[in-house]
Amino acid sequence: MVAGFGQAQAARRKSERRLGLLALPLALLVFVVDTFTDIESAIAVLYVLVLLLAANALPRAGILLAGGGCALLAVLSFLASHWTGMDLSSILRCGVSLAAIAITSVLLRRDHEARALLVSAYGALSRSEKRYRTMFEQARVSLWEQDYTGVKQALDELRAGGVTDFLAHAQANPGLARAMAAHIVTTNVNEATVELLGASDRTEVLGPVDRFLPVGDTALLQVLHALFEGRDRFEGRAELTGLDGRPLAVLLGISFPDDGLGFDQVVVGVVDITQRERTQEALLAAQAELARAARAATMGALSASIAHELNQPLGAIVLNAQTCLRWLRRDPPDLEAAEKTVERMVRDGKRAGEIVQRTRSVLVKEAARDELIELPQLVEEVILLLERELSASSATLITDFAADLPPVKAYRVGLQQVLINLFTNGMHAMAATAPAARELTVTIDRPGPGKVRVAVGDRGTGIDDQDRGRLFDPFFTTKPDGMGMGLAICRSTIESFGGALTARNLDEAGGAAGGGAIFEFTLPAAAKGD
Ligand code: ADP
């Protein structure tokens, strides 16, 4: 484009120079006619033609010089032909000619300036276009140019037809989003896109984009929603299907024109995160495996320790029970002696209880490697870990973190596990909620001095009144494939850090389930010097 522009410029300059050369003989002709004929009219006005011919061939300063030259010739002619008989009308004619020459010179100079500005702006535009093209072609990120005019028009028509909530409308018309995707047309892609989609050349990729969008991916709906709402950009995770059928996880970035023009050339950036997600999945699986192994080891150690320590009081209880039986079987039964043995049994039973309690707290303490934790940062980490699950569940994540939160002292992995459990439960609880209404809210605030609170709310089924008391019991579950250990472990983890975990329904005033649930835990803020 720049080369084409340069050639056209050179050709134009050449023809202007040729025209400029004609100006000289014309000036001479006007001078001769003006000086040596006695035509009674302002012949010198014709110098204007000379200036018009010469203007484009001259530099800016040259125009004024040429104007001056013409004016000088006009005056010379006037003096030569009217030296003897100077009258008012001939002076006026000369004046008119000089004024015309002066005005034309000034106007031509201005025109010259405007043209120079235009040419330099056009050159800058061309260079910028070239830079953009080079970046587009050479970027390692996949870039697409797409025509959104059809979709934009369809969305505008929906709005004009009275639709205000696009997501609700799309839900009521299930085929709508895909039908619209057929109107998003890819007009150009770079080499990185050809590679990403496994195409052999870019023509395989051009055309309607819908064939690369797997059915059921919600990203398309979100893009259309952003466009409907008039937003100037969209960023989010999406899925694509390669030409060979490979599923691809990508991050999309789309900038929509904010002036209402240019929807025919919207640039879409696509970053392939398939590998990253696989690695993350493997990491999560390894983490879960590790946690399971750690739990199994803890349980093993716990049961071995309990068995060992409980042997003695249990043996004593059995012995006392046998003695008690003997006292009772006597004729007459020795109730006083029997009572004493039962009292001993109660004492040993209590001791056994204390042993269980102590072993448990010793084990929990040993497992924990406490550190100072910034809760917002930890929550962000968990959101990243669950990015894929969150996107698959179509839940919108809303976070609200108070400013200046103090850190807490806890075992990072333990707290992470608690958050993962609460997030996952929230997503499960919203399985039957309409996708557009699925909201997972995470807030962190300070409920009082020295305390930090994390609340995870959802818009799911809520908690049934009859389940309320059993929610945190081990093995309580309402899911067909549930274990019922998640909340029990969460509660004992939070309690081991000196905090408390509770649950309530979102619509607690109404008391009814169905509006979602909030699980929240408070932890003591870390003391200074911790
Ligand atoms: P699991 O998830 O294996 O069932 P949990 O201990 O995590 O075990 O949860 C126990 C039960 O608590 C669940 O089966 C469910 O009935 C209920 N529950 C947990 N979280 C929520 C929630 N966010 N909304 C409604 N009910 C929930």
Side-chain angles (χ1 to χ4, degrees):
M1 191 169 185
V2 171
F5 174 66
Q7 279 164 10
Q9 280 277 87
R12 194 173 56 79
R13 248 181 256 127
K14 211 165 155 191
S15 83
E16 281 171 357
R17 238 176 274 135
R18 245 184 263 135
L19 271 178
L21 285 179
L22 283 180
L24 267 178
L26 182 63
L28 214 61
L29 185 68
V30 174
F31 180 73
V32 170
V33 173
D34 195 19
T35 315
F36 302 109
T37 63
D38 36 348
I39 301 170
E40 291 290 305
S41 70
I43 297 291
V45 167
L46 292 177
Y47 284 118
V48 166
L49 286 180
V50 173
L51 286 176
L52 286 174
L53 277 178
N56 289 334
L58 291 172
R60 208 178 315 161
I63 295 177
L64 287 187
L65 275 179
C70 289
L72 191 67
L73 288 178
V75 171
L76 281 178
S77 294
F78 171 73
L79 291 178
S81 53
H82 295 89
W83 187 251
T84 45
M86 216 176 279
D87 57 5
L88 183 64
S89 77
S90 57
I91 293 174
L92 277 179
R93 275 200 305 276
C94 181
V96 167
S97 304
L98 289 177
I101 291 170
I103 291 170
T104 309
S105 306
V106 170
L107 288 181
L108 283 173
R109 196 181 134 93
R110 244 192 239 163
D111 174 62
H112 204 288
E113 271 167 12
R115 269 180 41 189
L117 262 178
L118 204 67
V119 167
S120 98
Y122 191 78
L125 194 70
S126 304
R127 282 193 296 282
S128 147
E129 165 79 9
K130 188 179 175 209
R131 260 200 309 276
Y132 162 73
R133 276 291 141 216
T134 316
M135 270 159 58
F136 184 87
E137 289 304 334
Q138 294 178 357
R140 290 313 304 146
V141 171
S142 153
L143 294 173
W144 313 43
E145 280 175 351
Q146 292 182 325
D147 184 352
Y148 273 73
T149 359
V151 171
K152 175 79 175 109
Q153 199 180 339
L155 288 173
D156 287 346
E157 276 165 18
L158 278 187
R159 192 181 279 288
V163 175
T164 50
D165 184 344
F166 175 74
L167 288 178
H169 183 75
Q171 214 173 343
N173 301 273
L176 181 79
R178 279 209 84 74
M180 285 194 164
H183 293 294
I184 302 176
V185 180
T186 306
T187 50
N188 194 12
V189 293
N190 64 355
E191 204 46 43
T193 311
V194 173
E195 267 172 45
L196 174 76
L197 295 173
S200 51
D201 78 69
R202 70 184 70 194
T203 52
E204 283 182 6
V205 181
L206 305 186
V209 78
D210 55 341
R211 65 208 155 112
F212 299 110
L213 308 179
V215 179
D217 184 29
T218 51
L220 170 64
L221 210 57
Q222 289 163 11
V223 171
L224 295 176
H225 184 220
L227 200 54
F228 183 84
E229 296 281 303
R231 286 187 219 141
D232 60 358
R233 59 188 300 104
F234 169 82
E235 277 167 12
R237 184 189 175 283
E239 274 166 28
L240 295 179
T241 310
L243 273 172
D244 47 5
R246 249 177 330 129
L248 297 164
V250 298
L251 286 181
L252 272 190
I254 309 179
S255 303
F256 295 117
D258 48 9
D259 55 359
L261 302 171
F263 278 98
D264 58 339
Q265 203 186 26
V266 172
V267 179
V268 180
V270 176
V271 179
D272 183 7
I273 52 166
T274 318
Q275 199 53 43
R276 198 186 92 181
E277 287 202 345
R278 280 201 197 125
T279 317
Q280 212 167 54
E281 269 166 30
L283 185 73
L284 267 184
Q287 242 175 19
E289 189 56 37
L290 198 68
R292 255 201 303 281
R295 268 205 297 278
T298 308
M299 294 296 265
L302 184 67
S303 37
S305 155
I306 291 176
H308 178 73
E309 295 215 25
L310 287 187
N311 241 354
Q312 195 276 327
L314 285 179
I317 290 171
V318 172
L319 210 68
N320 278 320
Q322 284 165 347
T323 318
C324 179
L325 273 179
R326 268 205 310 280
W327 292 129
L328 289 177
R329 280 183 193 141
R330 275 214 175 161
D331 195 15
D334 187 342
L335 290 180
E336 207 177 320
E339 196 184 329
K340 282 216 172 72
T341 50
V342 171
E343 274 167 7
R344 278 202 293 273
M345 282 158 63
V346 171
R347 185 203 59 203
D348 288 337
K350 275 190 182 154
R351 197 149 61 85
E354 278 162 17
I355 289 169
V356 172
Q357 187 57 39
R358 184 160 44 83
T359 317
R360 191 172 150 273
S361 55
V362 166
L363 275 172
V364 169
K365 221 178 177 67
E366 270 177 8
R369 273 167 283 131
D370 290 354
E371 57 184 294
L372 281 183
I373 295 171
E374 302 289 346
L375 282 169
Q377 195 191 347
L378 187 78
V379 169
E380 295 289 0
E381 277 170 28
V382 170
I383 291 173
L384 269 185
L385 279 175
L386 293 180
E387 199 183 18
R388 196 171 151 79
E389 285 76 1
L390 282 166
S391 153
S393 73
S394 308
T396 310
L397 187 73
I398 300 166
T399 52
D400 183 7
F401 304 160
D404 296 330
L405 289 163
V408 296
K409 193 144 195 242
Y411 176 43
R412 176 171 285 274
V413 175
L415 215 49
Q416 205 176 49
Q417 218 58 36
V418 169
L419 286 166
I420 291 178
N421 259 313
L422 299 184
F423 277 36
T424 315
N425 277 346
M427 285 187 271
H428 286 167
M430 293 194 286
T433 308
R438 291 179 195 164
E439 269 177 14
L440 203 61
T441 317
V442 193
T443 53
I444 312 180
D445 61 0
R446 308 170 75 158
K451 280 184 178 175
V452 193
R453 174 171 55 194
V454 179
V456 180
D458 59 65
R459 290 279 178 182
T461 52
I463 304 155
D464 256 7
D465 267 350
Q466 59 188 42
D467 297 339
R468 225 169 247 257
R470 300 182 291 165
L471 222 50
F472 296 94
D473 287 354
F475 304 112
F476 170 75
T477 179
T478 53
K479 303 173 191 167
D481 54 352
M483 270 266 288
M485 286 303 290
L487 287 179
I489 293 176
C490 287
R491 182 170 259 182
S492 67
T493 306
I494 293 294
E495 284 174 356
S496 76
F497 302 140
L501 170 65
T502 54
R504 61 188 165 89
N505 277 330
L506 198 61
D507 180 20
E508 204 69 305
I518 296 192
F519 283 75
E520 61 186 25
F521 60 82
T522 42
L523 288 172
K528 280 213 174 76
D530 258 348

